[in-house]
Amino acid sequence: RKEVEQDPGPFNVPEGATVAFNCTYSNSASQSFFWYRQDCRKEPKLLMSVYSSGNEDGRFTAQLNRASQYISLLIRDSKLSDSATYLCVVLFVSGGYNKLIFGAGTRLAVHP
Amino acid sequence: GAVVSQHPSWVICKSGTSVKIECRSLDFQATTMFWYRQFPKQSLMLMATSNEGSKATYEQGVEKDKFLINHASLTLSTLTVTSAHPEDSSFYICSAIQALAGFYEQYFGPGTRLTVT
């Protein structure tokens, strides 16, 4: 089983749609959680951290369920510029060092 | 925000040669840097964790003698791909961790595209 698993995608949605991405992680000792966005041939950029109480940043809402080891990202009112690959990322400590584990990513394509 | 640079941004080399990639944290000190590799249409794969002043920790399946990592200072880590082969062609990305008041921020470099001919 992969340490971080995401929806397979791709998601093709019209502008204005609401889209939800899901992610599960296997290591219960995971400490921090993030959603990153990666555009084609570019490095990942942090979209938002995910807090236990859930958090919102504009059109983006992230949720964490530690009991189910599940993370979600909701994008409302999709824009063309939201087209990218969204990476679910989990941080945990291993051997005294921090490790970030990336999901395979879910590709989102927003069309007019 | 914090900035991480990589050099070179792209490199083409012949099979059998070695290539060094630098990763620098420009405005903060990073005790930990990570090296990732990404093949087309795949996710980032962590190769190794680079800790200043100590040996790097390699992920399973990554040859430490082939991918030499040196983290000589708090702002510089280098990855050397030795005796490169075409299958080593990939997008190599580094990141650096900045510790801020009890939590961590990770910043990625822009990546280095390596093509081995």
Side-chain angles (χ1 to χ4, degrees), chain B residues 40-59:
Chain B
K41 298 186 179 181
Q42 294 186 27
S43 187
L44 277 80
M45 294 295 295
L46 179 65
M47 297 176 67
T49 303
S50 171
N51 299 286
E52 187 267 336
S54 65
K55 290 183 179 180
T57 305
Y58 290 82
E59 294 301 302

Side-chain angles (χ1 to χ4, degrees), chain A residues 36 38 43 98-100 103, chain B residues 34 38 43 51 59 106 109:
Chain A
Y36 278 73
Q38 186 174 24
E43 76 276 19
N98 298 308
K99 288 183 66 171
L100 275 179
Chain B
F34 299 94
Q38 186 175 35
S43 187
N51 299 286
E59 294 301 302
Q106 179 181 239

Side-chain angles (χ1 to χ4, degrees), chain A residues 71-106:
Chain A
I71 308 156
S72 67
L73 175 68
L74 185 75
I75 305 176
R76 291 182 299 278
D77 190 22
S78 300
K79 311 290 184 190
L80 295 175
S81 57
D82 293 334
S83 298
T85 296
Y86 290 82
L87 304 169
C88 173
V89 182
V90 173
L91 181 147
F92 63 93
V93 178
S94 175
Y97 303 111
N98 298 308
K99 288 183 66 171
L100 275 179
I101 305 297
F102 285 76
T106 302

